[in-house]
Amino acid sequence: MNPSGQWHSLDLIEATTKLGTDLRKGLSSKEATRRLEQYGPNQLAEPTRISPIKMFISQFKDFMVLILLTATIISGLLGEVADAITILAIVVLNATLGFIQEYRAEKSMEALKKLTAPEARVLRDGLEKKIPAADLVPGDLVNLETGDRIAADLRLTKAVNLEIEESTLTGESIPVKKRTDKLPDPESGLGDRRNMAYMGTVVTRGRGQGLVVSTGMHTEMGQIAAIMQTVGEEDTPLQKRLEQLGKILVFLCLGICAVVAVTGIWRGESPMQMFLSGISLAVAAIPEGLPAIVTIALAIGVQKMIRRQAIVRKLPAVETLGCATVICSDKTGTLTKNEMTVRQIFVNGQTIQVTGEGYEPRGEFELKGKPLTKKEREGLDKLLKIAAMCNNAQLKREKLSVKDWITGKKGNREWSISGDPTEGALVVLTAKGGVTQKELEKQEPRLTELPFDSERKRMSVVCQKDNGQRTAYVKGAPDVILDLCDYIELAGRVVRLTNEHKDLVLRHNEDMARQALRVLAFAYRELPPNFEELEVDTVEKNLVFVGLAGMLDPPRPSAIRAVELSQAAGIKTVMITGDHQVTACAIARELGIIRGKEQSVTGKELDRWSDEELAKRVDDIAVYARVSPKHKLRIVRALKQRGHITAMTGDGVNDAPAVKEADIGIAMGRTGTDVTKEASAMVLADDNFATIVAAVEEGRAIYDNIRKFIRYLLACNTGEVLTMFLGTLMGLPLPLLPIQMLWVNLVTDGLPAIALGLENADPDVMRRPPRHPRESVFSHGLGGKIASRGAQIGLVTLLVFLIGLFLLPARGGDQISQARTMAFCTLVFCQLFYVFDCKSEHYSVFELGFFSNPYLVLAVVCSALMQLTVIYVPWLQNVFHTVPLHPLQWTICLVGGGWQTVMAGIYYWVIHPIRLKFVYLRVHHSR
Ligand code: ATP
């Protein structure tokens, strides 16, 4: 399909015939599959990805590794062949480990990209389906709604007040009004093709439908090969900071390594040996894996979040989530279930109750507990008519399966609605009253629609009878509708709307709102003959008020728990809703958002406040009612000004600026528009508030895990450097040979460090206050812990080396090999014990249980077995210059490595219970 094809100058019949599409049913699935094979996926060519082989080779590009490899080859040429081969093997193993980690991280990022890939609503086999935009084929019919990003080039077939912003393509930022009729000039430019919609542009208003004319690289966008989306490729602030830290540590380590090497040579050791020692120490001690490990922790965390329905689009959000101090959430559908049922109707000055549950269209209309009389129904029928006409939702029932038909279970099929849930509730209501849109539209077809948006808070349709009479049917927020009404219909008569009438309606509105009902008002207007200007300003005035409908939208039980959880975690929940203040407060109370002094304000009040005033009061407000999307942006800014880290949800197009401005912009996966999703850092697959809190919990856990990594890695490396450095300063022979150093690095930094990333969240993770975003990774005493444990590992290893060198008589091997083997084992076991301490900063391993993370136990067992192998397998003994150890030597090594863990165990099992008992007795005694 050629992009320059002049689809705009074809009429609809010509276009559909050319593409072989049925305008009522779309393509058949079979035909769509065939075309997908023929034309390929609807994607722009992606930049070529780095191949696994290149990724593996890049592991060797590290400067230090290159020097080590060169040195190894030189030492091999000088005769140390076994050493050279082993060092090479270790380096390759290390690179393999690095490769596996990087590859996994890359794969999970790719999976994430697939999850956030755009979707399109197409008509296939006569039904509307949501499919990945990549599966669109020429000839597909795509339905468009406000907020959609257009997924392919389309010839428009329907346009209801459709406006599209095409700046990505034409540079023109003012939205273009679209229509469907054919354009006479085949040469008209892109910007003038009013009956076309192009890939990458955005629907800013109205609804429509379009016939796909070209896909993928054949679209206009494909021609200019613009990059549509980048997901999750930014480095996080922590990654950047750690990269800097890594660089400082590299220089520090290099300095120390140089001192170790030079001192050794000065003391008469072989220069080659010392050169290798220096380099091996550098390779082992430089925490080159630090930023990579953060990426892995983030990747693992992101996977966990996906399992909890939170899809992260921008990696930095994972970190910021852990710092969130305020979550601003929409009400409808996020804090509430979005399963609405109309419970009350107010017409003719009377309140009618509606019975029935769920979406099943069965229920009664009752006045004071009794069915309505014919006269009492009059006003109600008018309201039901407006509710049915001014509506785009549909009530559906599962298809009857043969089995159900045979077993007679015809009544058990689920009812569901498609479209806006508010309108869905009204369709159920009208069906209960025996009124259907289909029947009504036969007599009075719809001419146009003035669509709902959260700014206007109302919607209208204009319909026309056979005799030419045009009527506008309007529904919307009661306060808004009432302002547009001049008349009211009472007992079938239209009279002027007086202030008393208004008061009565508003009182009933408040009554319903206090019962947490969401209220909609209904009105109509018979338009003068030949009324042509079907615009908002001309149609929606001089209306006749008919009545109110109150619908129940209960809070999600999981949201109630989540609000409580976030409160314990020091995070404030704020409700931002377009709904009435009284309804909003009633629901906020049920949810626990309002408990004491928290206040609520309305959009009107906000309009009167300056930004400074809002910032002053923002800390006290928990509910913002009757606000429009533009207020959200002001609220986010005010919160930020007060130093808050704000998460903000949004779904409509107009929410996008606030979502973008928030520290953590959150879009709704189900009801959210493409534009908002693109502006967001995270998407909620289930639109549920509880998912945000779950994501915060994961965010905190991920950060904790990164700190665990850092603590383990840096303390171990400090221990290694210190052993070698102090040994050299003391004029001792090398405590560990280069090959042993490299092995320590492989055994301890490999599996155990990765397994730490799979550690569960601490039990108190949601009982701590939020972390400050600029707080150092070494805060809360982590730096001290690293330094002290590092020093302890270094000193203990050196001590054991001294014992092996001077106090224990050599058995079997020579004295120095014995001492080195002992130091070697002590260093490894120090680290293997220490990794259990790093499981948590707040709980000891005895409180958490050794097996709470089975991967860690497995990793430690594997590493210990690997260590035993290099000590007991004879040919490895030669390579690693080790000797077998006898029980006394082992005891010394293990006590050296594990004494702290043993002490912690004694404290936990013996001293702590005794202390508790003591405290208990004292308290008991003093009573
Ligand atoms: P949230 O709590 O997520 O902001 P909301 O539904 O309360 O959602 P809006 O969608 O902005 O907020 O709706 C604002 C008001 O507009 C509602 O309280 C209702 O009175 C009215 N309204 C909602 N949906 C429709 C609709 N489809 N047609 C007409 N009026 C509507």
Side-chain angles (χ1 to χ4, degrees):
M1 299 286 144
N2 188 345
S4 56
Q6 289 151 349
W7 294 98
H8 53 281
S9 56
L10 301 185
D11 68 24
L12 282 183
I13 310 234
E14 286 167 335
T16 42
T17 319
K18 209 165 166 184
L19 287 163
T21 307
D22 178 339
L23 256 185
R24 281 167 307 126
K25 289 189 176 166
L27 292 178
S28 69
S29 306
K30 213 166 132 197
E31 177 60 15
T33 316
R34 194 194 65 73
R35 290 192 190 189
L36 191 61
E37 258 168 44
Q38 183 184 349
Y39 297 106
N42 174 35
Q43 276 167 342
L44 297 184
E46 285 198 19
T48 42
R49 247 187 236 121
I50 169 163
S51 74
I53 295 177
K54 271 198 188 148
M55 198 186 277
F56 184 70
I57 293 173
S58 73
Q59 306 292 326
F60 296 97
K61 284 193 185 145
D62 185 79
F63 180 62
M64 292 314 298
V65 174
L66 284 181
I67 295 192
L68 180 69
L69 286 179
T70 323
T72 313
I73 291 166
I74 297 173
S75 85
L77 292 177
L78 292 178
E80 301 280 341
V81 181
D83 263 20
I85 293 177
T86 319
I87 291 180
L88 270 179
I90 294 177
V91 170
V92 171
L93 257 175
N94 243 329
T96 313
L97 219 60
F99 165 74
I100 293 172
Q101 293 174 354
E102 202 174 307
Y103 189 71
R104 268 196 56 186
E106 170 105 2
K107 279 282 155 218
S108 50
M109 283 301 148
E110 250 174 53
L112 193 63
K113 271 191 190 172
K114 280 206 186 106
L115 274 180
T116 51
E119 291 185 317
R121 282 181 303 277
V122 290
L123 196 67
R124 284 196 186 158
D125 305 312
L127 294 172
E128 189 190 80
K129 289 182 192 162
K130 236 183 188 182
I131 61 164
D135 291 350
L136 281 181
V137 292
D140 260 329
L141 275 173
V142 181
N143 288 336
L144 303 174
E145 268 175 30
T146 315
D148 284 353
R149 189 175 282 281
I150 290 169
D153 285 359
L154 311 174
R155 165 71 170 85
L156 292 168
T157 52
K158 280 184 198 161
V160 182
N161 293 305
L162 186 65
E163 286 180 20
I164 295 183
E165 201 248 286
E166 301 183 327
S167 61
T168 40
L169 206 61
T170 60
E172 176 56 63
S173 60
I174 298 168
V176 184
K177 268 201 163 124
K178 293 288 180 179
R179 41 187 238 225
T180 58
D181 50 339
K182 101 179 200 187
L183 300 180
D185 179 10
E187 299 307 319
S188 56
L190 276 187
D192 298 326
R193 297 184 193 166
R194 298 290 166 119
N195 56 10
M196 297 289 291
Y198 294 101
M199 180 193 232
T201 58
V202 173
V203 181
T204 50
R205 190 159 176 254
R207 293 187 296 119
Q209 189 184 57
L211 181 68
V212 175
V213 294
S214 36
T215 57
M217 293 306 281
H218 298 293
T219 58
E220 293 295 336
M221 190 58 99
Q223 296 292 296
I224 53 173
I227 296 142
M228 291 285 289
Q229 253 190 340
T230 47
V231 176
E233 271 161 14
E234 272 168 85
D235 269 352
T236 73
L238 185 62
Q239 277 176 316
K240 286 182 201 150
R241 264 190 282 160
L242 286 182
E243 210 152 315
Q244 275 170 355
L245 174 77
K247 278 184 193 144
I248 298 172
L249 289 178
V250 166
F251 284 110
L252 201 75
C253 282
L254 284 181
I256 296 176
C257 297
V259 172
V260 170
V262 171
T263 323
I265 296 170
W266 177 63
R267 284 189 43 251
E269 301 258 5
S270 112
M272 191 63 214
Q273 171 85 334
M274 284 323 293
F275 180 60
L276 259 184
S277 296
I279 304 274
S280 311
L281 181 57
V283 170
I286 290 172
E288 71 284 346
L290 218 52
I293 265 172
V294 177
T295 315
I296 295 159
L298 290 173
I300 295 171
V302 162
Q303 291 296 329
K304 278 194 187 167
M305 285 195 186
I306 292 174
R307 262 175 261 137
R308 298 178 80 168
Q309 307 289 323
I311 301 162
V312 172
R313 295 186 71 255
K314 294 177 186 156
L315 261 196
V318 180
E319 271 173 39
T320 326
L321 270 169
C323 309
T325 56
V326 179
I327 304 176
C328 297
S329 172
D330 288 339
K331 170 177 75 69
T332 312
T334 313
L335 288 163
T336 64
K337 286 186 173 170
N338 219 5
E339 288 164 12
M340 296 187 222
T341 333
V342 177
R343 286 266 172 258
Q344 276 182 26
I345 289 173
F346 173 73
V347 277
N348 281 338
Q350 287 170 319
T351 305
I352 298 168
Q353 308 292 336
V354 189
T355 64
E357 291 305 323
Y359 294 135
E360 188 176 2
R362 262 219 319 242
E364 302 298 328
F365 296 89
E366 295 173 350
L367 194 66
K368 296 184 185 134
K370 291 197 191 106
L372 302 186
T373 59
K374 207 166 170 219
K375 194 152 180 35
E376 284 163 346
R377 260 203 81 123
E378 261 176 29
L380 175 67
D381 282 337
K382 190 63 167 243
L383 185 141
L384 295 183
K385 180 177 180 184
I386 303 172
M389 301 287 269
C390 186
N391 203 318
N392 291 318
Q394 274 157 13
L395 183 63
K396 291 191 293 197
R397 195 176 193 189
E398 259 176 36
K399 277 197 181 135
L400 186 66
S401 69
V402 178
K403 195 172 145 211
D404 286 343
W405 191 71
I406 294 170
T407 52
K409 280 191 192 161
K410 292 179 202 168
N412 282 352
R413 289 169 292 141
E414 288 275 327
W415 289 92
S416 65
I417 51 159
S418 67
D420 176 12
T422 306
E423 294 187 354
L426 295 176
V427 179
V428 176
L429 173 80
T430 53
K432 283 177 184 170
V435 176
T436 64
Q437 188 185 33
K438 243 189 200 153
E439 290 302 314
L440 292 172
E441 276 209 345
K442 266 189 210 150
Q443 302 152 18
E444 238 182 302
R446 189 188 284 192
L447 281 184
T448 191
E449 174 188 334
L450 304 168
F452 169 77
D453 78 48
S454 331
E455 205 76 49
R456 299 186 328 115
K457 297 187 174 45
R458 60 184 189 266
M459 163 189 174
S460 312
V461 292
V462 178
C463 303
Q464 178 169 308
K465 286 192 185 132
D466 283 346
N467 63 7
Q469 168 65 52
R470 293 178 170 187
T471 314
Y473 298 103
V474 191
K475 72 177 193 308
D479 29 346
V480 176
I481 298 291
L482 219 47
D483 279 347
L484 303 170
C485 289
D486 287 341
Y487 309 93
I488 181 168
E489 188 169 307
L490 291 171
R493 278 184 36 234
V494 175
V495 295
R496 262 216 168 265
L497 185 76
T498 61
N499 283 343
E500 286 76 49
H501 290 133
K502 270 192 181 175
D503 286 347
L504 182 76
V505 173
L506 288 175
R507 258 206 322 276
H508 273 84
N509 179 25
E510 287 231 350
D511 263 359
M512 288 191 198
R514 252 193 298 278
Q515 299 166 49
L517 297 180
R518 176 183 167 81
V519 193
L520 240 60
F522 299 83
Y524 70 94
R525 177 181 169 201
E526 311 245 296
L527 297 170
N530 306 324
F531 193 89
E532 285 298 339
E533 285 170 78
L534 302 179
E535 298 294 330
V536 170
D537 305 336
T538 47
V539 171
E540 291 174 346
K541 60 184 191 188
N542 313 119
L543 305 179
V544 182
F545 182 85
V546 174
L548 304 172
M551 48 191 85
L552 191 70
D553 180 17
R556 290 176 185 258
S558 59
I560 301 179
R561 283 193 300 277
V563 169
E564 202 178 317
L565 199 63
S566 48
Q567 223 144 25
I571 305 166
K572 182 176 162 183
T573 309
V574 172
M575 178 194 277
I576 301 186
T577 176
D579 215 337
H580 193 277
Q581 190 173 19
V582 181
T583 312
C585 288
I587 301 235
R589 238 169 255 122
E590 284 181 33
L591 282 159
I593 292 175
I594 296 187
R595 280 165 194 254
K597 293 194 299 311
E598 299 91 344
Q599 295 165 7
S600 66
V601 289
T602 62
K604 271 191 190 155
E605 285 171 89
L606 276 188
D607 284 335
R608 286 199 297 271
W609 294 355
S610 66
D611 287 344
E612 288 69 39
E613 194 163 358
L614 175 59
K616 241 189 264 162
R617 300 190 184 194
V618 78
D619 278 325
D620 302 323
I621 302 167
V623 173
Y624 295 87
R626 275 282 186 264
V627 287
S628 357
K630 66 172 195 281
H631 293 118
K632 283 189 168 180
L633 191 61
R634 286 188 64 203
I635 297 168
V636 171
R637 289 194 174 141
L639 283 166
K640 278 178 122 177
Q641 205 179 324
R642 300 289 297 175
H644 284 292
I645 302 295
T646 312
M648 165 75 83
T649 66
D651 45 15
V653 209
N654 305 344
D655 288 340
V659 167
K660 201 166 194 160
E661 178 83 15
D663 300 286
I664 309 147
I666 302 171
M668 299 298 146
R670 293 191 187 160
T671 54
T673 52
D674 293 346
V675 179
T676 321
K677 284 184 193 164
E678 282 165 27
S680 71
M682 190 172 96
V683 176
L684 302 182
D686 58 357
D687 291 11
N688 188 347
F689 176 79
T691 304
I692 308 176
V693 181
V696 169
E697 186 177 343
E698 280 303 337
R700 289 184 175 196
I702 292 171
Y703 190 79
D704 278 1
N705 279 357
I706 292 174
R707 275 172 66 104
K708 290 172 199 170
F709 266 143
I710 293 175
R711 177 181 173 191
Y712 178 66
L713 216 62
L714 292 191
C716 292
N717 288 4
T718 311
E720 290 161 20
V721 173
L722 224 60
T723 309
M724 300 296 277
F725 186 57
L726 293 181
T728 319
L729 284 192
M730 287 162 70
L732 298 171
L734 277 182
L736 267 85
L737 293 173
I739 241 179
Q740 294 169 342
M741 208 63 198
L742 290 173
W743 181 255
V744 175
N745 191 40
L746 178 75
V747 169
T748 57
D749 286 4
L751 297 177
I754 298 175
L756 261 189
L758 297 168
E759 207 46 59
N760 297 321
D762 275 2
D764 71 341
V765 72
M766 288 301 271
R767 288 197 298 266
R768 288 182 235 146
R771 164 175 61 87
H772 193 280
R774 277 193 297 279
E775 136 187 327
S776 145
V777 256
F778 298 111
S779 61
H780 306 296
L782 196 74
K785 278 183 189 156
I786 292 173
S788 64
R789 191 60 175 242
Q792 190 244 312
I793 292 175
L795 291 176
V796 164
T797 310
L798 209 60
L799 188 68
V800 172
F801 179 66
L802 289 171
I803 295 174
L805 197 60
F806 297 118
L807 295 184
L808 293 181
R811 280 200 338 187
D814 56 325
Q815 195 79 35
I816 183 75
S817 298
Q818 166 184 285
R820 278 194 183 130
T821 311
M822 283 176 71
F824 185 28
C825 289
T826 309
L827 191 55
V828 166
F829 279 95
C830 269
Q831 305 189 3
L832 294 186
F833 276 109
Y834 182 46
V835 76
F836 285 103
D837 278 4
C838 296
K839 275 167 78 78
S840 162
E841 285 176 57
H842 308 269
Y843 294 87
S844 86
V845 59
F846 297 98
E847 285 168 282
L848 294 174
F850 272 91
F851 295 96
S852 66
N853 174 6
Y855 299 105
L856 189 66
V857 180
L858 201 69
V860 168
V861 169
C862 281
S863 299
L865 287 178
M866 282 163 78
Q867 179 65 11
L868 292 182
T869 322
V870 295
I871 293 184
Y872 287 106
V873 175
W875 68 271
L876 285 174
Q877 287 171 352
N878 288 338
V879 174
F880 282 88
H881 307 280
T882 53
V883 291
L885 299 180
H886 54 75
L888 176 65
Q889 291 169 322
W890 266 121
T891 313
I892 295 173
C893 295
L894 290 177
V895 168
W899 70 272
Q900 280 206 334
T901 313
V902 175
M903 295 298 284
I906 293 174
Y907 176 82
Y908 182 76
W909 297 114
V910 186
I911 302 177
H912 189 59
I914 294 176
R915 252 186 56 188
L916 276 185
K917 207 160 207 153
F918 190 64
V919 172
Y920 171 79
L921 283 176
R922 237 185 22 199
V923 172
H924 209 66
H925 194 69
S926 64
R927 273 196 197 148

